[in-house]
Amino acid sequence: MAVVTKRIGTPGFPGTLGTRLVAETPAIELRGLSRHFGERVALRDVSVQVAARTTLAVLGRNGAGKSTLLRILATLLRPHSGEAIVLGERLPRGAFSIRAKVGFVGHEPLLYRDLDGRENLRYHARLRGIELHRVEELLAAVGMDGRAEDPVRLLSQGMVQRLAVCRAVLHEPQLLLLDEPRANLDPAASELLEPLIGRTARATRVLTSHDPRAALAEADLVLGLKDGRVAFLGEPGRLTGASLRSLYA
């Protein structure tokens, strides 16, 4: 398995900037990953390595394979070929172990529509053995404590999205998979979610966005997909305007 080297300060040398190299296992390592749906190829030969506690932005037009990639990382889909190692576990064999460490915000909120927000979050908390005060903390953090007893089916899409984020971070995951996480949110709601899913969330993040420039501002690494293939892989500053436009052409 490849490792990422990280330079850190060496203790025991007051007044100096002594350093030493440590090896750190990547949070995500994909090698030749492919997935198809019947005869349609969703991903073909995708390889990327993501260091722990960094952010990968996945860009590309609709149908490029972005959501398929996130669903594979979330263990909701199996790759048809290639290797996927997530948080030190090889997929699909280590899927059960990975699920306890991953938070996923997808196009579906994964909430019961006839239950209210508090009931939904308490249900997920009990499944994971999490103390219920965590639910109240999150409801207050996203400004939903005043609407927590309304059935999900009566809430606006933006409110449902806030609850979906609470569900995803309930167990303080090591890896956040964020598929359009700010969809349907107004600027004030987006700001409330920043401590939970933004750059300060203390987790490795993989995110997609319909606003590529906003995604680039958050990213440490960019993966550009076109028709399921890697069209760009590198630091945000290396993605030129022409290259960005070609991803969406």
Side-chain angles (χ1 to χ4, degrees):
M1 181 182 296
V3 295
V4 177
T5 57
K6 183 180 180 182
R7 193 174 293 274
I8 64 173
T10 302
F13 292 90
T16 72
L17 296 177
T19 61
R20 61 187 174 90
L21 289 176
V22 296
E24 188 170 17
T25 302
I28 299 170
E29 190 169 5
L30 308 180
R31 303 190 196 112
L33 193 74
S34 296
R35 168 77 198 198
H36 57 81
F37 297 95
E39 295 184 358
R40 184 177 71 82
V41 176
L43 294 172
R44 187 191 298 276
D45 197 28
V46 174
S47 297
V48 63
Q49 184 173 296
V50 183
R53 294 174 298 282
T54 63
T55 297
L56 172 69
V58 186
L59 303 181
R61 64 187 183 187
N62 292 339
K66 304 186 301 296
S67 294
T68 298
L69 177 60
L70 264 65
R71 288 173 65 82
I72 289 173
L73 296 176
T75 76
L76 299 176
L77 288 175
R78 290 190 174 201
H80 285 129
S81 61
E83 289 185 300
I85 302 170
V86 179
L87 300 177
E89 300 283 351
R90 193 178 303 274
L91 293 176
R93 186 176 63 218
F96 183 79
S97 297
I98 291 169
R99 288 170 189 158
K101 305 172 187 177
V102 171
F104 179 53
V105 179
H107 294 163
E108 295 296 330
L110 304 180
L111 300 169
Y112 292 99
R113 290 175 53 79
D114 289 329
L115 298 182
D116 65 38
R118 181 175 284 113
E119 289 169 334
N120 267 284
L121 296 181
R122 285 185 172 184
Y123 170 74
H124 284 280
R126 290 190 180 101
L127 284 179
R128 295 182 177 274
I130 297 169
E131 293 185 8
L132 296 184
H133 68 79
R134 171 71 172 163
V135 169
E136 301 307 317
E137 290 174 358
L138 288 172
L139 287 170
V142 302
M144 285 295 295
D145 44 345
R147 300 292 302 272
E149 296 182 0
D150 292 358
V152 169
R153 59 184 166 79
L154 299 181
L155 297 175
S156 69
Q157 289 182 311
M159 290 179 178
V160 172
Q161 188 73 354
R162 284 191 252 176
L163 291 174
V165 168
C166 290
R167 172 197 51 72
V169 303
L170 193 60
H171 56 302
E172 299 180 275
Q174 296 177 37
L175 173 62
L176 285 170
L177 303 173
L178 307 171
D179 200 358
E180 304 290 346
R182 296 173 182 84
N184 305 310
L185 296 176
D186 59 37
S190 293
E191 192 67 26
L192 288 174
L193 297 186
E194 281 306 296
L196 302 179
I197 61 171
R199 288 188 65 89
T200 60
R202 296 184 300 175
T204 306
R205 299 187 304 155
V206 181
L207 64 89
T208 74
S209 175
H210 281 314
D211 184 349
R213 299 197 181 279
L216 289 172
E218 294 190 70
D220 300 296
L221 183 67
V222 178
L223 172 64
L225 295 176
K226 192 165 186 177
D227 299 326
R229 298 176 182 270
V230 177
F232 176 86
L233 179 61
E235 296 177 353
R238 292 178 50 210
L239 184 62
T240 65
S243 297
L244 182 60
R245 287 190 295 273
S246 74
L247 288 176
Y248 294 88

